[in-house]
Amino acid sequence: MAQLLGKMPLQFTSKQASEDMALAAFNRALKLSGPGLQVMGVGFTGSLASSRPKHGEHRFYVSTRTQICLRTSHITLSKGLRSREEEDKVSSYFLLKAIADACRVSATIQSDVQESEIPKESVEQFDEDQELQQVIDGQVCMKVYHFSDSMEKNFNRKIILPGSFNPLHGGHLRLLEVASSMCDDGLPCFEISAINADKPPLSIAEIKHRVEQFRKLGKNVIISNQPYFYKKAELFPGSAFVIGADTAARLVNPKYYGGDYNRMLEILLECKNTGTAFLVGGRNIEGVFKVLEDLDIPGELRDMFISITEEKFRMDISSTDIRKKQGP
């Protein structure tokens, strides 16, 4: 339990423990799910009949967590009325009904409870601002906005272009388009981290403003809370990340790993083991246009990096330049 929740619950059979379990399961489901799928986390904890008599109540809690809702049911069973197997059956029925309710599926499940065993239920709905705040606070690992109509295809992985997109411009769109044509088994997505390594977190208003750019163009965007690539690789296992040559140069520079070359290698090999790949587009670095072939990539990592040639993509445009021209 402590490993699942990352902490020891104050009480194992409690509303808080059940809801924490559902949240942990929801975050795991988000990481494991296929692109575009709705996911749910389910938590169940109970203290039921056992071979030895119990001093406390026989009770259980079941929680379901979706992107927009947290539901919890709590039932105290009449002590001595049922065997362990019968209490298991009653709680299992409630668990199935909770899943059905969260999926908005009508369920005619006979729960076989007494009048005195009325379930206590709580429901908490989340609006978009609350969802985004949960991402910023690290409660929820991501919020996915599916604006494209490409959900009908079966995708094996995501092709992710991370950035701040302040603003989104034609270079971003073209780069992801070219990268997607090189990996036709992936769902193209943009990704914005609400948390920045060396700046304050983005505000909810700013995130929504940037998301609106993608909504207008029908492009998928993910809001995460991971500014570092090795953490992104954990969050999106098996994905291909689209990056510029400047970012690729930083990725393999030991300076960003406390000056430790072996630490850099260890972290990136862990990314490689999750199936992570990097598609590298050319960028102007200090006035010189550089591509992947101009960089010194360690031999152990070379097959992680795939070059997007200058012939396929070159657009000398940046969000910083656009902001400067727009003025304050």
Side-chain angles (χ1 to χ4, degrees):
M1 179 72 91
Q3 188 178 38
L4 173 70
L5 302 182
K7 62 183 179 183
M8 190 64 79
L10 294 174
Q11 194 175 7
F12 282 89
T13 304
S14 63
K15 182 174 185 280
Q16 188 64 57
S18 175
E19 291 179 352
D20 286 348
M21 290 167 76
L23 179 60
F26 174 67
N27 276 313
R28 181 164 161 76
L30 280 173
K31 294 173 189 176
L32 294 175
S33 69
L37 297 178
Q38 296 294 314
V39 301
M40 180 200 315
V42 184
F44 177 94
T45 179
S47 178
L48 305 180
S50 64
S51 55
R52 292 190 299 273
K54 278 198 170 133
H55 296 299
E57 297 172 326
H58 294 193
R59 67 195 192 281
F60 64 84
Y61 296 81
V62 57
S63 300
T64 57
R65 172 67 198 242
T66 64
Q67 194 81 52
I68 60 169
C69 187
L70 170 64
R71 295 171 183 263
T72 300
S73 296
H74 164 219
I75 293 185
T76 300
L77 299 169
S78 299
K79 213 168 175 180
L81 185 64
R82 303 176 183 86
S83 66
R84 170 57 183 251
E85 189 178 6
E86 288 167 336
E87 287 193 356
D88 270 338
K89 193 173 180 182
V90 170
S91 56
S92 296
Y93 280 149
F94 265 92
L95 180 60
L96 288 170
K97 186 171 187 314
I99 293 171
D101 288 345
C103 294
R104 297 177 187 170
V105 174
S106 60
T108 52
I109 295 171
Q110 298 301 315
S111 56
D112 191 30
V113 293
Q114 305 296 306
E115 281 186 26
S116 61
E117 300 172 324
I118 302 300
K120 294 177 183 174
E121 299 190 343
S122 65
V123 180
E124 191 178 354
Q125 301 277 359
F126 309 117
D127 60 25
E128 185 182 5
D129 285 15
Q130 288 169 312
E131 289 177 59
L132 290 171
Q133 190 61 55
Q134 288 164 2
V135 175
I136 293 167
D137 293 343
Q139 261 188 294
V140 173
C141 61
M142 69 180 96
K143 175 167 172 57
V144 183
Y145 290 91
H146 285 288
F147 295 138
S148 78
D149 55 4
S150 55
M151 293 299 107
E152 294 162 15
K153 282 178 69 177
N154 286 323
F155 294 102
N156 295 322
R157 58 177 175 168
K158 297 182 180 79
I159 313 296
I160 300 174
L161 175 55
S164 57
F165 307 111
N166 182 29
L168 175 67
H169 57 65
H172 297 135
L173 298 168
R174 179 63 185 150
L175 180 56
L176 187 55
E177 186 184 316
V178 170
S180 300
S181 71
M182 294 169 65
C183 303
D184 58 4
D185 64 340
L187 175 71
C189 298
F190 295 89
E191 183 250 352
I192 299 171
S193 175
I195 306 299
N196 196 296
D198 46 18
K199 296 178 189 173
L202 294 177
S203 67
I204 290 170
E206 183 56 36
I207 294 171
K208 288 169 81 171
H209 172 70
R210 295 188 196 183
V211 165
E212 188 57 31
Q213 303 174 105
F214 298 94
R215 191 193 308 273
K216 287 176 180 173
L217 295 170
K219 303 295 181 184
N220 300 321
V221 61
I222 300 167
I223 308 301
S224 82
N225 50 25
Q226 297 298 350
Y228 299 110
F229 273 100
Y230 73 97
K231 288 291 187 182
K232 292 183 197 291
E234 288 176 19
L235 199 54
F236 309 110
S239 294
F241 292 95
V242 187
I243 60 176
D246 52 342
T247 302
R250 287 195 298 274
L251 262 182
V252 297
N253 189 338
K255 170 185 158 185
Y256 297 98
Y257 303 83
D260 188 335
Y261 179 89
N262 290 328
R263 178 71 180 137
M264 176 270 292
L265 215 54
E266 180 189 343
I267 286 173
L268 291 178
L269 284 172
E270 282 177 19
C271 295
K272 184 178 177 179
N273 290 337
T274 68
T276 299
F278 295 102
L279 294 161
V280 183
R283 284 295 297 266
N284 260 317
I285 303 175
E286 296 175 358
V288 180
F289 189 80
K290 292 195 174 180
V291 292
L292 176 63
E293 289 73 17
D294 298 315
L295 307 179
D296 185 17
I297 306 292
E300 302 94 319
L301 305 173
R302 262 180 215 141
D303 56 352
M304 279 179 79
F305 292 82
I306 301 161
S307 179
I308 300 174
T309 62
E310 186 175 354
E311 291 73 34
K312 284 185 176 172
F313 175 82
R314 177 169 182 174
M315 289 181 76
D316 297 338
I317 180 175
S318 77
S319 296
T320 305
D321 293 339
I322 292 172
R323 287 199 304 275
K324 283 177 182 173
K325 286 175 185 171
Q326 288 174 342

